[in-house]
Structure formats: C-alpha cells, structure tokens
Amino acid sequence: MTDPTDLAVRPEEGRPRPSSGGSGTPPPHRPTALERLTGSRSAWGLLLKLSVLGLALYNAVVFTSRLVDEQAWVGLVAMWGATAVLVWLYLRPGRVPAKFIVPGTIFLLVFQVYPVLYTGYIAFTNFGTGNVLEKPDAIEQLLAQRTRVPPDAIRYGATAFADPDGEVALLLTDPDGELLFGTAEELVALDELGDVTEEGDVVTAVGDFERLDLVAAQDVAPALQELRVPTSDGAIQLQSLTAAARAESTLTYDEDRDVIVDTQTGVEYAPVQGNFGSPDGERLTPGWRAVEGTDNFTRAFTSPLIRGPFLRVFVWNYVFALASVFLTFALGLALAIALNEPRMRSRRLYRSILVIPYALPSFLTAMVWAGLFNTEFGAVNDILGTSLPWLTDPWLAKVSILIINLWLGFPYMFLVSTGALQAIPADMLEAASVDGASALQRFNRITLPNLMITIAPLLIASFAFNFNNFNIVYLVTRGGPPIQGAQTPAGHTDILVSYVYRIAFESGRGADYGFAAAISVLIFVMVAGISAWSFRRTRTLEDIA
C-alpha cells in the first residue's frame, strides 16, 4: 500500500536545482560585461583602480611637455610605454602576478637600473662645471660673451624690468623711436606682444615683467650688467641704467671647419675634449659635455696631484670598513655571550639598555659625539683633563670616527649575536663540556663556527654598509682634516663616498661630476667583487651544519 506522504510534494521539490557537478559547491561566478572590461567586481575597487590609473595618466601628460621641451625622446617613449602597459594590465581581469611584478619592475628600472647606467655613462664624460651645455648652446654663449661696443654702435634708451622669479629684461627705444622688449632669449617689437600694460604713455608691465624705478633697478644692477639681449649680429648690453648699446661679438664660428676665430687677434680655437682651445693651450668657457673615454679613471691613478690623496682615501676606506666590522662584532659578541649566561640577573634590563644607541637616530648621535670630542669645550677632554685635538689631528680624527662608529654599530651585532647564540643546541655544548673541553675550546670549536653560519652574511652586509658610511664621516669631520697639496678636496678621514660627494658638490674649482661618477663606478665594482668573493667563501661554513 502506498504511503500518502509519498504522494505529497515537498516545497523544495519541483524547483530546478542548480547544477553543482555533484559536489555540492556553488556554481562558478560568471563575470559581467563591466567586470570583463575593468577586471574589478567591487564598485570601490573599480573607483580606486580608475583613480590610480587616472593619476598615472595625469603625470604622463604633465611630464610630456617637459620632455618635449628638452627633446628627451627616449624618456618620452619609455614613459608612455610604461603608462600604456599599466593601463592595459590593470583594466584586464586576471593576471594577478603580473599586476604585482610589473609596477615593481618599472620602479626598479627607473630608480635603480637607470641611475646606475647613467652614472656609468657620466663616468666617461667631462660633465661638470663649465661643461654642462650642449655644443650649439656653448657656441652661442661664447659668441655672446666676447663682445665690444664699437664707436659707431647703435644706441638705445633703456628701462629695466623684472619678473617675480628675478629674471630681468629691458624696454629699449631705438633711434627711430620704436619700442623693443629684450630678454636673454629674444628681442621683439613691443607691438608684437599682446600682454602689455600701459598707464598713459608709460609701459608699466609686459607679461610677468614689471617696470623698475631707478632705485629698484640699482638693486638688480649686477643682473642687468650681465644681461645680453641677442641680435642677428651681436647683442645689446646695458651701458648705464638708462642707456644701452648694440655690441658686436669679437668671436666668429666657422661651421665648415668647426673652429672659433677671434676677429681681433686672428687666433683660432679648435674643439678639444669639450672646449674650444687655442694652440698655446688657452681654453674658452663654457664648454660642452663630451665623451672622454677612460680619462677620468686613469686620472685617479696617474695624476700626481690626485693619485696620492686618492690612494690614501682608498686605503683608509678599507681600514675603516674592516675595523668597524671587527670592533662592532667583537664587542657585540662579547656582550651577547656575557648576557647569555642563565645565572645572570636582570638580563632583559641590560639588553634593553644596550639597544638604546641603536634606537636613536644615527645622525643625531654623530653630532652629539662631535660635540663631546670638541677640543675646547668637549666633555671627553674635560673628563681626561687634556686638550687633545680629536677632530683636527689626522690620526686622532680617525680614532674618533672609529669610536663613534663602534658606539653606533655594536648594538646591532649584539642583537644578531644574541639570537644566533640562542639557536645553538645546548646539547652540543654540554657534550663538549662532559668530554673535558675548556670554555675556550667550546667557543672555538662549537660556538663560533655555528655562529658564523648565521652571522657571516650579516658581516658582509655590514662591511658593504660601512664601506659607504657617508653620514658618520660627513657629520663628524666633513672628511677633514684636509690633506695638504691635494688637487681634489680630500681629507684624512674621507672615505670614497664622502670623497665623491665633495668632488661633485664642494670642490673649490667647481663640480666635477664625471670624475665623481668614475669613483662611484670603482666603489660599485669593489663592493660587488668583495661581496661576491665573501659569499662564496662563506658557503663552506654550511658544511658544519
């Protein structure tokens, strides 16, 4: 007999059940047209994505005009190529790994690879003070600089103008009464300029330039005297605050022979390594940036005035880096072993106190130590009852640098040594003690080898860091005391990186970016070579484990 309940239809029966493949899992999500187009399910996610991409496009548009003005076509193509890749990638669904890898790769290329390659290129050029322009710009400036006012020169009435950025200009009245407006870039008729403000018959402003009275013009007189308004056959220069004259250039450029000729003396200047030079060795400035090959590298080792100071800086750099690593590791390890003794009380308090030098900003600590080592009022001399020139004597300055770096570096070695010591199995030490090994033997045969497995890579990294430890040297001694007779700004405590900085930005003879870049390349090669050799040597320590 049939059960009546079997004839009843349950509410869920009769409804179409979704296909789940027999596993009971929900069906896969089918993306909508918007999701397929943008790769985003959430409205907030879509808004964030479009905002970031819009910002990237905005920056590309802003920088386009600058790159076009500078004719940096390679940079323009690279920028828009990267922008197009980012827009295409983030508006497509999926490709999650690429969405993380591509931005990081672009940043790596822009902020790491490109600066390294550009530094390498600059190392083979004469780029520096007096050699920053392109050749056509250098020729134009040379012709504008060497000028004279002939007796029959055209005279102008002049009124000084200046803009908010400090640029100066001249409102000129020629002998025919025509008004001209001249800047360092061009000379144009006033009628051709649209943004001119007049009060009666007096011109008070031209664009951003405003009229100056004689008192205000006197304040910017040096800039007005240096102003050269270019013309077709020379330049207009100021004779007084109210008068100017057309000067003619005493130099001419022979484009066919690529020489500059002095029309007064007849001397010819031919291009020599980025400058026009005469047969007797005179060079005209400014020059232009030119490739010189390996001259910057050979100059460091062949020029007598550079070789000696450079080699002294080179040797001290290695001594400083090695001594810093050894001293900080020795002190840090000794403190770690002492505080690793279980019977010692208040070990956490001692460890916290020892980390304080590492927690403070290094630049602030370096400046405090510089005050402590001051000869006249420093606390160190007061405590010792002496007047030692800690920062001005060549040898004491080096000792001071090492002491300060020891104070700043030992907490880091203490921390890593503490962690490495606690990772060594206690059973090994107990077994060695049972076998009769002394404390020194246990340290040499068990503790130190196992410690070096972990510490060796950190020691290599510490060496690389101290090899380029610019802050401690520059903030305490600024590389001094100076090495007497050096052609470049070299000091007894300079390391290569501070030496490079001073060559590039603090040389009394002007910046020499090419030579500084060459030294930077040498630093990169040395650190990379030493690190590679050290890592290869430390692989043998893994056999102990």
Side-chain angles (χ1 to χ4, degrees):
M1 185 173 180
T2 305
D3 190 345
T5 58
D6 293 338
L7 299 178
V9 180
R10 296 184 176 89
E12 63 271 14
E13 294 180 356
R15 297 180 183 178
R17 294 186 178 181
S19 175
S20 59
S23 61
T25 59
H29 174 75
R30 294 183 179 181
T32 63
L34 179 62
E35 293 175 2
R36 288 195 299 270
L37 178 63
T38 63
S40 177
R41 296 186 183 183
S42 169
W44 285 106
L46 175 61
L47 180 60
L48 177 61
K49 181 183 296 185
L50 293 179
S51 299
V52 173
L53 293 179
L55 180 61
L57 287 171
Y58 171 77
N59 288 329
V61 172
V62 169
F63 282 103
T64 295
S65 60
R66 297 185 181 181
L67 294 175
V68 170
D69 291 341
E70 297 180 5
Q71 297 183 353
W73 309 120
V74 175
L76 182 64
V77 172
M79 180 187 67
W80 277 106
T83 303
V85 169
L86 290 175
V87 172
W88 175 84
L89 179 63
Y90 281 91
L91 288 181
R92 302 293 297 172
R95 299 180 176 87
V96 175
K99 290 179 180 179
F100 286 92
I101 294 174
V102 170
T105 303
I106 292 175
F107 277 101
L108 176 67
L109 293 174
V110 172
F111 295 106
Q112 292 291 336
V113 177
Y114 173 74
V116 170
L117 296 178
Y118 186 73
T119 301
Y121 162 71
I122 294 298
F124 293 91
T125 69
N126 63 345
F127 186 37
T129 300
N131 296 90
V132 299
L133 303 173
E134 298 295 332
K135 188 175 181 180
D137 298 328
I139 294 173
E140 182 180 349
Q141 286 204 15
L142 287 172
L143 299 181
Q145 286 178 357
R146 296 287 189 94
T147 59
R148 70 181 183 89
V149 179
D152 58 346
I154 301 175
R155 308 287 173 169
Y156 300 85
T159 303
F161 281 69
D163 68 0
D165 296 329
E167 296 293 331
V168 294
L170 294 175
L171 178 64
L172 303 168
T173 306
D174 69 6
D176 297 330
E178 183 181 359
L179 293 177
L180 307 170
F181 192 76
T183 64
E185 288 77 25
E186 61 180 352
L187 176 68
V188 294
L190 189 65
D191 296 339
E192 299 178 6
L193 299 175
D195 192 7
V196 178
T197 303
E198 300 184 27
E199 293 182 4
D201 295 334
V202 178
V203 178
T204 58
V206 179
D208 293 333
F209 290 91
E210 296 183 356
R211 187 187 187 100
L212 302 178
D213 57 28
L214 291 179
V215 176
Q218 187 66 42
D219 295 337
V220 294
L224 290 171
Q225 293 295 335
E226 295 178 0
L227 176 62
R228 298 292 184 270
V229 179
T231 63
S232 58
D233 56 352
I236 299 175
Q237 63 187 49
L238 206 63
Q239 300 292 289
S240 66
L241 292 179
T242 59
R246 178 173 293 191
E248 61 183 18
S249 177
T250 60
L251 300 177
T252 60
Y253 177 61
D254 188 337
E255 187 174 356
D256 295 334
R257 295 189 300 146
D258 193 21
V259 296
I260 287 181
V261 182
D262 191 324
T263 58
Q264 293 183 312
T265 62
V267 177
E268 294 186 350
Y269 298 86
V272 180
Q273 294 183 336
N275 289 86
F276 284 100
S278 65
D280 60 359
E282 179 187 1
R283 288 196 173 190
L284 302 178
T285 56
W288 62 93
R289 187 169 59 189
V291 177
E292 290 188 341
T294 59
D295 289 354
N296 288 321
F297 295 93
T298 57
R299 184 155 56 112
F301 300 99
T302 58
S303 175
L305 296 177
I306 297 178
R307 180 180 61 240
F310 172 76
L311 291 179
R312 295 176 70 171
V313 172
F314 178 84
V315 172
W316 163 243
N317 200 157
Y318 274 96
V319 172
F320 170 74
L322 291 173
S324 295
V325 173
F326 174 77
L327 293 175
T328 55
F329 175 64
L331 180 58
L333 178 59
L335 293 173
I337 293 175
L339 294 179
N340 199 45
E341 174 59 45
R343 293 172 296 178
M344 178 175 288
R345 297 181 179 180
S346 304
R347 289 188 297 169
R348 293 183 179 179
L349 176 62
Y350 296 143
R351 287 170 178 170
S352 300
I353 294 175
L354 291 176
V355 174
I356 291 178
Y358 188 62
L360 296 175
S362 60
F363 74 91
L364 181 61
T365 304
M367 297 177 69
V368 170
W369 272 99
L372 295 176
F373 278 122
N374 187 276
T375 303
E376 298 178 358
F377 53 83
V380 174
N381 278 338
D382 289 342
I383 294 173
L384 298 177
T386 61
S387 58
L388 296 175
W390 289 99
L391 303 180
T392 56
D393 179 78
W395 289 103
L396 288 177
K398 294 177 180 179
V399 173
S400 302
I401 290 291
L402 290 174
I403 292 175
I404 297 173
N405 210 31
L406 174 62
W407 173 263
L408 292 172
F410 86 85
Y412 171 75
M413 293 298 179
F414 166 73
L415 289 175
V416 297
S417 298
T418 299
L421 286 173
Q422 293 177 355
I424 298 176
D427 297 343
M428 298 176 61
L429 297 174
E430 292 177 1
S433 179
V434 171
D435 290 341
S438 63
L440 182 61
Q441 289 176 329
R442 292 196 301 270
F443 176 79
N444 290 332
R445 300 295 180 86
I446 298 177
T447 303
L448 186 60
N450 283 275
L451 192 70
M452 292 302 295
I453 297 175
T454 304
I455 299 297
L458 300 178
L459 294 179
I460 297 171
S462 179
F463 173 84
F465 171 79
N466 284 289
F467 198 87
N468 294 303
N469 196 345
F470 174 82
N471 289 345
I472 183 69
V473 173
Y474 193 78
L475 291 175
V476 176
T477 63
R478 299 183 73 90
I483 298 176
Q484 300 299 324
Q487 187 179 19
T488 54
H492 286 279
T493 58
D494 263 321
I495 58 177
L496 290 173
V497 65
S498 65
Y499 181 54
V500 167
Y501 177 85
R502 297 175 67 190
I503 290 174
F505 302 107
E506 295 186 353
S507 176
R509 302 177 60 185
D512 192 348
Y513 302 121
F515 185 61
I519 304 301
S520 300
V521 171
L522 292 177
I523 294 174
F524 174 79
V525 172
M526 286 186 292
V527 174
I530 292 174
S531 299
W533 177 81
S534 300
F535 277 118
R536 177 175 295 182
R537 295 286 298 176
T538 55
R539 288 179 184 176
T540 59
L541 296 173
E542 298 177 1
D543 296 337
I544 299 176

